[in-house]
Amino acid sequence: SSTVQDCWRQCRHDFQPPEYSAQCHDKEYKLDHCMRRAYEADKSSAIQPLGQEFTTPLLMMRAHGPKIKVVALLRNPTDRVWSAYFHFGQFPKAYGDGEEGMLKYWNEQSDA
């Protein structure tokens, strides 16, 4: 199996390689061997110039196969922070209701 998804499927549906059979039956096991197997199948696509072996796009490709399509929606960060602050009640409670609370929240989020 050349992708993590293939390996996960095999592991979770009783087609486990004998050396991982016990681990595959353990639902707490995170299927680490699947990532290693996918990496071994195609090392060249997983190595980055700085030695970072798994970037998000490569991880997605390994998990779902090479034909994966990713759709990203971008939102104005200011609108996102404003909506989050007033939509979730814990933020006005934690930072204070009104302009001063919103300013504290904004400063914390913009420093991140």
Side-chain angles (χ1 to χ4, degrees):
S1 51
S2 61
T3 66
V4 175
Q5 183 182 33
D6 295 336
C7 181
W8 284 344
R9 236 185 251 123
Q10 288 176 356
C11 196
R12 292 297 190 224
H13 297 294
D14 295 326
F15 303 113
Q16 305 92 355
E19 63 271 23
Y20 298 110
S21 181
Q23 293 171 319
C24 287
H25 285 293
D26 178 5
K27 296 301 179 190
E28 297 298 315
Y29 176 58
K30 303 296 184 215
L31 304 173
D32 297 333
H33 74 280
C34 291
M35 187 62 73
R36 285 192 302 275
R37 286 175 63 189
Y39 173 69
E40 289 298 322
D42 187 7
K43 290 181 182 178
S44 65
S45 69
I47 297 188
Q48 298 298 305
L50 298 175
Q52 299 171 347
E53 295 177 348
F54 297 110
T55 62
T56 300
L58 290 172
L59 183 60
M60 296 286 291
M61 186 179 76
R62 285 282 160 247
H64 301 286
K67 293 184 180 182
I68 185 170
K69 292 183 175 37
V70 177
V71 176
L73 299 174
L74 304 177
R75 185 173 176 196
N76 181 334
T78 305
D79 292 341
R80 188 206 61 78
V81 170
W82 183 265
S83 295
Y85 183 79
F86 288 106
H87 180 75
F88 300 106
Q90 75 263 27
F91 297 127
K93 288 178 186 172
Y95 297 96
D97 201 8
E99 289 181 32
E100 288 182 24
M102 179 62 195
L103 184 58
K104 286 181 196 174
Y105 179 68
W106 170 259
N107 287 334
E108 183 179 286
Q109 294 299 308
S110 62
D111 287 343

